[in-house]
Amino acid sequence: GMERNYTYSDELGIDLGVFYKRRSHTDFSDGNYAIQIHKYFGPDVKGKDVLIVDDIIASGETVLDVATQLSSMGAKRIFVVSTFGFFTKGTEKFDEAYRNKTIEAVFITNASYVSEEITSAPWYQEIDVIKYISYYIYCVNSGSSIAKVIDPHKKIQNYLKNGKE
């Protein structure tokens, strides 16, 4: 997803930073390989709102580690976006991060089941993608190009120009 993030960063005219994570493939415990290095590369985040983008929140440990590091670097507000939010170890750590102002909100698509425990959390925000899933199904069945049906670049430019979709 980095190439997509570079494109959106350029299009929106905003900075982009990256957390690099290297895991040990010999040190395995509690269902995960141990993280050897977790390092930030990018511009200074002090006083800035930050958006963390991830594909899946499983246990949430990585996202919360990133949020904690960004907070300690002086980020003003931290928002998390994820396609899928499974929260395999529960939501307690997210509740705590929200109470401590480490995170402002977690945006998760409705592309998979999201439990009531999550949807009732004060930090949870739904991203409704049902319309886009139906576009995808239509394109697959009709042989159409999804790029012609959904042009995210056009939507971004419209938003920047008019302040709406």
Side-chain angles (χ1 to χ4, degrees):
M2 282 308 302
E3 187 174 324
R4 178 181 55 246
N5 290 337
Y6 289 132
T7 300
Y8 289 146
S9 170
D10 280 347
E11 219 164 295
L12 291 167
I14 58 175
D15 292 334
L16 176 69
V18 177
F19 268 89
Y20 168 72
K21 177 173 56 176
R22 184 176 70 213
R23 292 187 181 269
S24 163
H25 291 286
T26 57
D27 185 5
F28 188 82
S29 66
D30 197 25
N32 290 307
Y33 289 103
I35 297 172
Q36 292 178 323
I37 295 174
H38 206 197
K39 185 172 179 159
Y40 174 73
F41 297 96
D44 187 8
V45 297
K46 187 172 183 145
K48 295 181 181 177
D49 289 338
V50 176
L51 180 64
I52 301 170
V53 180
D54 204 353
D55 54 351
I56 297 172
I57 296 175
S59 69
E61 290 174 3
T62 300
V63 165
L64 291 174
D65 178 41
V66 166
T68 300
Q69 288 188 50
L70 290 167
S71 181
S72 71
M73 294 164 60
K76 184 168 80 174
R77 295 183 305 167
I78 300 169
F79 301 90
V80 177
V81 171
S82 182
T83 307
F84 303 105
F86 299 128
F87 300 90
T88 58
K89 292 190 177 179
T91 61
E92 295 80 18
K93 290 183 179 182
F94 283 85
D95 296 335
E96 182 182 342
Y98 177 76
R99 279 192 305 274
N100 296 339
K101 302 285 186 200
T102 303
I103 58 169
E104 289 286 320
V106 180
F107 295 84
I108 304 166
T109 71
N110 60 350
S112 65
Y113 174 74
V114 180
S115 73
E116 188 176 335
E117 175 189 19
I118 297 164
T119 60
S120 64
W123 43 262
Y124 170 78
Q125 297 292 318
E126 179 182 274
I127 301 171
D128 186 4
V129 295
I130 299 304
K131 172 173 76 173
Y132 300 103
I133 292 172
S134 67
Y135 289 159
Y136 176 75
I137 292 168
Y138 167 79
C139 289
V140 166
N141 287 310
S142 68
S144 303
S145 166
I146 193 79
K148 291 180 182 173
V149 176
I150 304 171
D151 184 352
H153 307 291
K154 199 186 272 186
K155 286 181 177 278
I156 289 171
Q157 291 308 312
N158 268 349
Y159 180 79
L160 292 173
K161 184 177 178 182
N162 303 319
K164 59 185 175 186
E165 266 190 60

